[in-house]
């Protein structure tokens, strides 16, 4: 139920969307295996971006407390900048990065069958039919 027609939970959907980003990246890497294109996923950390502050007062209160532990937007951008510009990762593809280095993503992010299903459903929903 990718469209969440049956039920919706913002927190759950957010987590699922992050998993789908990783699954999609790993699948794209497999499909680009013989190309010069590099793709990676990353987690910027809990960044002071105002995320979630449009929620109800309870969530806003929790997030206000959590603000003590957030990263600056500059710190949150470091891994993205590293992946986009560092010669160290010029030929690195199909990895998950956090704090400037490759890390293991969740076990479910390595499920190839789920990644293929997500890829196919994404193509169907977007009506894209490409060779990749």
């Amino acid at each position: 139920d990718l469209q969440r027609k049956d039920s919706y939970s913002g927190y759950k959907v957010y987590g699922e969307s992050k998993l789908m980003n990783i699954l999609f990246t790993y699948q794209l890497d497999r499909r680009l295996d013989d190309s010069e294109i590099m793709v990676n996923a990353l987690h910027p950390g809990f960044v002071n971006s105002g995320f979630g502050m449009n929620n109800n007062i309870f969530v806003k209160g929790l997030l206000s407390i959590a603000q003590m532990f957030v990263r600056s937007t500059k710190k949150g951008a470091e891994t993205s900048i590293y992946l986009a510009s560092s010669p160290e990762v010029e030929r690195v593809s199909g990895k998950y990065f956090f704090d400037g280095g490759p890390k293991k993503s969740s076990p479910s992010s390595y499920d190839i069958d789920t990644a293929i299903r997500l890829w196919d459903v994404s193509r169907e929903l977007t009506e894209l039919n490409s060779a990749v």
Side-chain angles (χ1 to χ4, degrees), residues 51-118:
F51 173 78
M53 296 307 281
N54 61 338
N55 284 297
N56 65 45
I57 193 150
F58 177 73
V59 174
K60 283 183 188 178
L62 288 176
L63 288 172
S64 293
I65 294 167
Q67 292 298 310
M68 296 183 292
F69 306 100
V70 299
R71 297 172 177 215
S72 68
T73 52
K74 182 178 178 180
K75 178 74 175 160
E78 286 178 356
T79 301
S80 295
I81 293 167
Y82 171 73
L83 284 171
S85 62
S86 176
E88 295 172 8
V89 290
E90 189 174 298
R91 306 298 310 151
V92 175
S93 190
K95 304 292 182 203
Y96 176 76
F97 284 78
F98 179 64
D99 281 343
K103 305 285 188 246
K104 281 273 201 200
S105 53
S106 67
S108 54
S109 69
Y110 296 100
D111 185 326
I112 294 174
D113 291 334
T114 299
I116 292 169
R117 271 196 329 271
L118 175 63

